[in-house]
Amino acid sequence: MNPQTSDKDRVYIFDTTLRDGEQSPGATMTLDEKLQIAEQLDDMGVDIIEAGFPIASNGDFDAVVAIAKRAKNSVIAGLARAITADIDRAGEAVRHAKRGRIHTFVSTSPIHLAHQMNKTQEEVLEIVTRTVTQARNLIDDVEWSAMDATRTSIDFLARCTEAAIKAGATTINLPDTVGYSTPEDYGDMFRQIIEMVPGSDKVIFSTHCHDDLGMSVANSLAGVKAGARQVECTINGLGERAGNAALEEIVMAIRTRHDAMPYFTEIEATHLSRVSKTVAAASNFPVQFNKAIVGKNAFAHESGIHQDGMLKNAQTYEIMTPESVGIKETTLVMGKHSGRHAFKDKLRDLGYELGDNQFQEAFQRFKDLADRKKHIYDDDIIALVDDEMGSGSDRITLKDMKVVSKTGGEHVCDMVLDVDGQDVSVSVSGTGSVDAIFNAIKEAVGDDPHLVIYGVDAVTGGTDAQANAHVRLEMNSRIVSGRAAEPDTLVASARAYLNAYNRLLMERGASAQGAMAG
Ligand code: KIV
Ligand code: ZN
C-alpha cells in the first residue's frame, strides 16, 4: 500500500471475467479453466471475484461453489436477477465461501422498463426493496445494480438507490450497461447520486462500464474521481459485445498516474501478464498485439528514434516497465534431456500447480515436443499446459489423421476419432487440407456447426514453432471457441475444431443465459 494514502482512497477491484467476461459469445470456459483463473485472481489480490451466475445452469452453479470453497482471500460473488429463485440459488452457491456476496440487479431505465420488463417505476421500486431484503436475509454482503443506470433519470435512480440502501445493500453499482456514457456524464451521475441519497456514506459505490464507444476505462476512472470506490472490470477487457473495462488498464492507470488520481488498489501488478495469458487461452480470445499493458507490442520499441532514446534512458519512452506488469523475456528452458523435477520447477515458476494426472500428461507431451523441437521456450510450455487444461474433459478426441494434398488436385483427409470410447473412421475430401479435415470431423460426428472463425499463429519464432490454432463454431444459437497447440499446423487445426465441438457438447442452460445482460 502506498504510504501517502489512506483507506478512503482505496479502490476495490471487482473482477467479473468469469461472469460478464464468459458471457462474451464464444468465451465459454471449462470448470478447470475457471478454477485456474479464480486462483490466479485470488493470488493477485483481486478483492471480489464474480464467479458466475448460479441460476444459469448446473455448470455455472458448480463452478461458483467450487471457486467459493477454494478462495483464500477474495470475496466470491454470485449474480442473480431480481427473481426469488435466482437469489436463493446465488445464496446457496456463495455460502461456501469464507466471504460471499449476492449481487442482484434490476433494470431502471425507461427503455428497459417499457420494452423488456413491462413494469412501472413504482413496481420496480417494490422489486428493489423485496429482492435486496431477501438477499440480506441470506447473507450480510449484498450488492445491488441498477441495470442501464446511465440511461435512467437521476431522480428515479436516486429513489431506487435509496430503496436498495434501506433494504440493506452494502454496495451500489451504477453500470453503463450499453457503453453509452462519457467520462463527464458518468462522473456527474455518481456525484449527484452520492449527494442526493440519504445513507450513501454507508455504502460503497461501484462502476461497471462497457466499451462500446471505447470509453470504459476513462468512464470507470471518472466514476472513481466522483466517489466510487469499487471498479468492476475484466482481464483483457473480455465481455459482452466490445467488452468491459480492462482490469490491467484500471490498475496501471491508477498506479502510474498517482499524481492525477491519488488512489490505490491492492493488486499485485506483476501478476498481470500471466493472468492475461491464462484468460486469453481459456476464453480463446487472443489479446490484440497493441493492447495496452498486456499486448505483445505494449513494450516493444520499433522506431529508430525510440530505440535510441530507450538505450540512453528507458524513461525517455517508457512510462512503466515491462517487469512491473510481469513481462519477462521469453527464456530458453529445456530440451529433451530435462527431467521431471526441472519440468515441475519450471511449471511452478510459470504459475502452474498441476494435479498428478495432469502433470503426467503434460510431462509426456513436453517429452514428445522435445523430440520434435530442438529449443523449448517458456511460451511453448505455457501453450502446451494451457492446451492440456483446456482439452482434459473432451468426449471426442483425435486418434489418427492422414492428409494428402496436391496442387490443383484433390485434398483428402483420412481420420480416426475416438467418440465416447468408440473408434469412428472416415475418409473425406475438401477444397483444401483444412477444409478436408473439418469436413472429416463433421462427417464423423454427424453434425454441421457453422464455422465462425478459424485462425493459426505461431507460439514462438522458427519453422519448427508450435502452431496455435483457434476455431469458433456456432450451432443452435450457441457460439463456442476451441484451441490447440501442436508442432503440426494441420493437427493443431483438427484438435482446435474438436476442442470447440466438445465445448458445444458441454451442458449449459440456454434459458437463463438468454436473460443475462451485459
Ligand atoms: O452491464 C450490466 O449492467 C451488468 C449487470 C448485470 C451488472 O453486467
Ligand atoms: Zn455488464
Side-chain angles (χ1 to χ4, degrees), residues 401-405 409-415 426-444 447-451 454-456 471 473 489-491 493-494 497:
M401 182 175 103
K402 187 174 103 190
V403 182
V404 179
S405 288
E410 250 203 335
H411 304 264
V412 180
C413 173
D414 296 335
M415 181 178 279
V426 285
S427 179
V428 180
S429 63
T431 52
S433 311
V434 175
D435 190 46
I437 291 168
F438 291 178
N439 287 343
I441 297 175
K442 287 192 276 190
E443 167 115 355
D447 246 335
D448 190 9
H450 168 61
L451 179 67
Y454 163 64
V456 183
V471 166
L473 299 177
T489 310
L490 295 181
V491 178
S493 305
Y497 192 106

Side-chain angles (χ1 to χ4, degrees), residues 61-102:
F61 178 83
D62 293 344
V64 178
V65 170
I67 292 168
K69 284 183 176 165
R70 290 179 187 210
K72 295 189 286 269
N73 302 307
S74 309
V75 172
I76 303 302
L79 186 70
R81 288 168 297 183
I83 295 176
T84 311
D86 276 43
I87 295 171
D88 281 343
R89 194 79 171 137
E92 218 182 302
V94 301
R95 75 182 166 80
H96 298 276
K98 277 194 199 131
R99 293 187 297 153
R101 171 180 296 187
I102 296 176

